[in-house]
Amino acid sequence: DAFETAYHKRFSVQPQSGKIPEQYARALQEAAAGRKPGPAPIDLTGLSQFQLKVLNVLRKVPRGEVRTYGELASLAGRPKAVRAVGNVMACNPVPILIPCHRVVPSSGGVGNYGLGPQLKRTLLAREGVRIDKL
């Protein structure tokens, strides 16, 4: 119940119970291990054009690389929308598969992450990112 309430509050949709499709579960396991995931269907229905643009730009950031929130905003065609990009990352409906862990603050460090900063460090390290260089 607590998970459903938190999920609904964060994404404005009610989570569905059931078995995770094998293709999706496999892609998630690969991505979490730092490897390139296989294809998995992702439904982004209900997101704004800006959210879709930012997430599509984010999907092009290669494993082992990071971008700052400002760089992502510029690549999405809205260089002054740095905070808005942060909000898109916070509401990413499929973290890990849409790799919001690859977005870091320009001030250094790994920054925030909805699944916790330690997991963000772990995911980046598995992809080959030198955390000590951020």
Side-chain angles (χ1 to χ4, degrees), residues 9-131:
K9 182 178 178 182
R10 183 171 179 187
F11 298 112
S12 299
V13 291
Q14 197 63 32
Q16 306 264 328
S17 61
K19 185 172 170 32
I20 296 173
E22 182 61 34
Q23 183 181 24
Y24 184 82
R26 197 170 35 254
L28 188 57
Q29 289 169 344
E30 291 296 311
R35 297 184 294 268
K36 182 178 180 181
I42 297 173
D43 182 4
L44 299 177
T45 302
L47 298 182
S48 71
Q49 289 295 349
F50 177 71
Q51 289 170 313
L52 291 171
K53 176 69 173 174
V54 170
L55 292 177
N56 284 327
V57 168
L58 173 60
R59 291 172 98 171
K60 296 175 184 172
V61 176
R63 282 176 296 120
E65 294 185 20
V66 296
R67 299 291 182 272
T68 65
Y69 293 95
E71 288 172 325
L72 205 58
S74 291
L75 290 168
R78 301 271 306 275
K80 295 184 179 185
V82 177
R83 286 183 189 261
V85 165
N87 289 334
V88 173
M89 297 302 101
C91 295
N92 179 356
V94 268
I96 302 178
L97 288 183
I98 299 180
C100 52
H101 60 276
R102 295 182 189 152
V103 184
V104 297
S106 59
S107 59
V110 296
N112 294 322
Y113 188 57
L115 302 173
Q118 185 53 50
L119 180 57
K120 185 172 185 174
R121 284 184 198 90
T122 299
L123 292 169
L124 290 172
R126 287 179 182 168
E127 292 183 2
V129 173
R130 297 273 316 266
I131 305 300

